[in-house]
Amino acid sequence: MSASAWPSATAKLGGWTCISDCRSASRRMREMKAIRTLIVDDEPLARRGLELRLARHADIEIVGEAGNGRHALQAISSLRPQLMFLDVQMPGIDGFGLLRMLPATQIPLTVFVTAYDHYALAAFAASALDYLLKPVDDVRLDESVERARARLAARKTEDHYERLLKIIGTLPAAHRSRIDGFLGDEDPGAGGRLTIKDGNRMVRIDVASIRWIDAAGDYMCIHAGDETHVLRGTMQQLERRLDPRKFARIHRSTIVNLERVDQMRPHVNGEYFLVLDSGHELKLSRSYRDKLKLFT
């Protein structure tokens, strides 16, 4: 029986849709190869169209759908997809805003689905990430799925976050938040603020408002309050400028504000998840288990 012939059922959870079906036995047989996939688009017909087209691929397991950025945040946190088809232009939190708000370790491989301008398409291509133009062409969709298979099979997902940040960094000013650079001669501990360069302006961030910081290559995201600042620099540079009594490295690419941690729960292989006051979850890796004492 073909994949599209199986009956399916959906459940609405908090605005996003969790999809299950009657193929439990088949799924168990191919569980190791299944690619957990999330569709994010504000147009129901566009989501349905992608779902139907992806049904032709037996290894694509659509675990959920979301109609806006806020619901996508919840779905990603709960479902932990490996692959995401993401509409760029959505009301409220758009596709780029969604990526900026996610912890680096939660960002799935992302295929952009867009009617975007040629400048953005050139940026996607230069960063070796795939994109689909609406209306979606079946051949291009198949190519996107094949690229996802290849990257997951080769376990080459670690550079994905850096590539996404490069996309944000090369977008026109109207389509990005802040692309910042360091002012390395300031001690934030002295005045409780961190000064960064936003184009020709100086932006001062209240250090206490920082929840966590992600790093990927030469790019970093400072998640402070309701904003995310994307900047060039290294984790070592920033770590030297933060109070070690208040900020701790919990992963090779993550620094967390200890005062923002509400809960800590054990995971597998000696790892832990830290739940922040914002509801975001960050992974504390085995290599940084010595930091556990800071949370007790």
Side-chain angles (χ1 to χ4, degrees), residues 226-252:
D226 294 327
E227 295 189 73
T228 299
H229 303 271
V230 182
L231 54 100
R232 293 292 298 269
T234 66
M235 187 69 90
Q236 288 77 15
Q237 284 177 297
L238 185 56
E239 197 170 19
R240 288 195 297 267
R241 302 177 63 200
L242 296 171
D243 187 343
R245 297 168 298 179
K246 297 181 179 179
F247 290 85
R249 180 87 74 97
I250 60 171
H251 187 275
R252 63 187 180 85

Side-chain angles (χ1 to χ4, degrees), residues 212-271:
W212 83 93
I213 300 159
D214 288 321
D218 293 332
Y219 289 84
M220 285 187 294
C221 276
I222 297 179
H223 302 269
D226 294 327
E227 295 189 73
T228 299
H229 303 271
V230 182
L231 54 100
R232 293 292 298 269
T234 66
M235 187 69 90
Q236 288 77 15
Q237 284 177 297
L238 185 56
E239 197 170 19
R240 288 195 297 267
R241 302 177 63 200
L242 296 171
D243 187 343
R245 297 168 298 179
K246 297 181 179 179
F247 290 85
R249 180 87 74 97
I250 60 171
H251 187 275
R252 63 187 180 85
S253 62
T254 309
I255 293 175
V256 69
N257 184 343
L258 299 174
E259 295 181 353
R260 295 287 188 166
V261 178
D262 276 352
Q263 302 175 40
M264 181 174 63
R265 57 184 178 82
H267 189 44
V268 296
N269 300 325
E271 296 180 331

Side-chain angles (χ1 to χ4, degrees), residues 19-21 23-31 61:
I19 298 177
S20 61
D21 56 36
R23 293 172 287 175
S24 57
S26 176
R27 179 178 298 145
R28 284 194 295 271
M29 292 175 61
R30 58 183 174 85
E31 185 174 2
E61 179 186 4

Side-chain angles (χ1 to χ4, degrees), residues 187-199:
D187 177 11
R193 289 183 178 272
L194 184 70
T195 302
I196 57 179
K197 189 177 182 181
D198 173 16

Side-chain angles (χ1 to χ4, degrees), residues 95-291:
F96 295 121
L98 170 64
L99 295 174
R100 287 192 293 268
M101 297 174 70
L102 286 168
T105 55
Q106 289 186 21
I107 293 181
L109 292 176
T110 302
V111 175
F112 293 95
V113 183
T114 178
Y116 229 61
D117 58 47
H118 294 294
Y119 187 100
L121 296 181
F124 300 156
S127 296
L129 285 169
D130 211 357
Y131 60 88
L132 298 172
L133 281 175
K134 294 181 177 180
V136 174
D137 177 76
D138 285 346
V139 174
R140 288 287 295 113
L141 178 61
D142 292 346
E143 291 174 354
S144 297
V145 171
E146 186 56 39
R147 288 192 178 100
R149 289 188 187 115
R151 187 167 293 187
L152 288 169
R155 300 183 181 276
K156 292 182 178 179
T157 59
E158 294 182 356
D159 65 340
H160 188 62
Y161 188 58
E162 181 178 0
R163 293 175 186 275
L164 290 174
L165 291 184
K166 285 182 179 179
I167 284 178
I168 296 171
T170 55
L171 287 176
H175 300 303
R176 69 185 189 223
S177 59
R178 293 191 173 93
I179 309 303
D180 302 320
F182 271 123
L183 292 181
D185 57 352
E186 184 194 36
D187 177 11
R193 289 183 178 272
L194 184 70
T195 302
I196 57 179
K197 189 177 182 181
D198 173 16
N200 295 321
R201 301 184 304 125
M202 305 297 185
V203 178
R204 303 188 71 195
I205 302 173
D206 184 355
V207 173
S209 72
I210 297 175
R211 289 193 169 96
W212 83 93
I213 300 159
D214 288 321
D218 293 332
Y219 289 84
M220 285 187 294
C221 276
I222 297 179
H223 302 269
D226 294 327
E227 295 189 73
T228 299
H229 303 271
V230 182
L231 54 100
R232 293 292 298 269
T234 66
M235 187 69 90
Q236 288 77 15
Q237 284 177 297
L238 185 56
E239 197 170 19
R240 288 195 297 267
R241 302 177 63 200
L242 296 171
D243 187 343
R245 297 168 298 179
K246 297 181 179 179
F247 290 85
R249 180 87 74 97
I250 60 171
H251 187 275
R252 63 187 180 85
S253 62
T254 309
I255 293 175
V256 69
N257 184 343
L258 299 174
E259 295 181 353
R260 295 287 188 166
V261 178
D262 276 352
Q263 302 175 40
M264 181 174 63
R265 57 184 178 82
H267 189 44
V268 296
N269 300 325
E271 296 180 331
Y272 286 80
F273 277 113
L274 306 181
V275 183
L276 307 188
D277 56 3
S278 60
H280 291 94
E281 291 188 354
L282 305 177
K283 183 183 290 186
L284 188 152
S285 67
R286 287 180 296 170
S287 302
Y288 293 88
R289 278 183 297 183
D290 61 307
K291 301 296 177 67

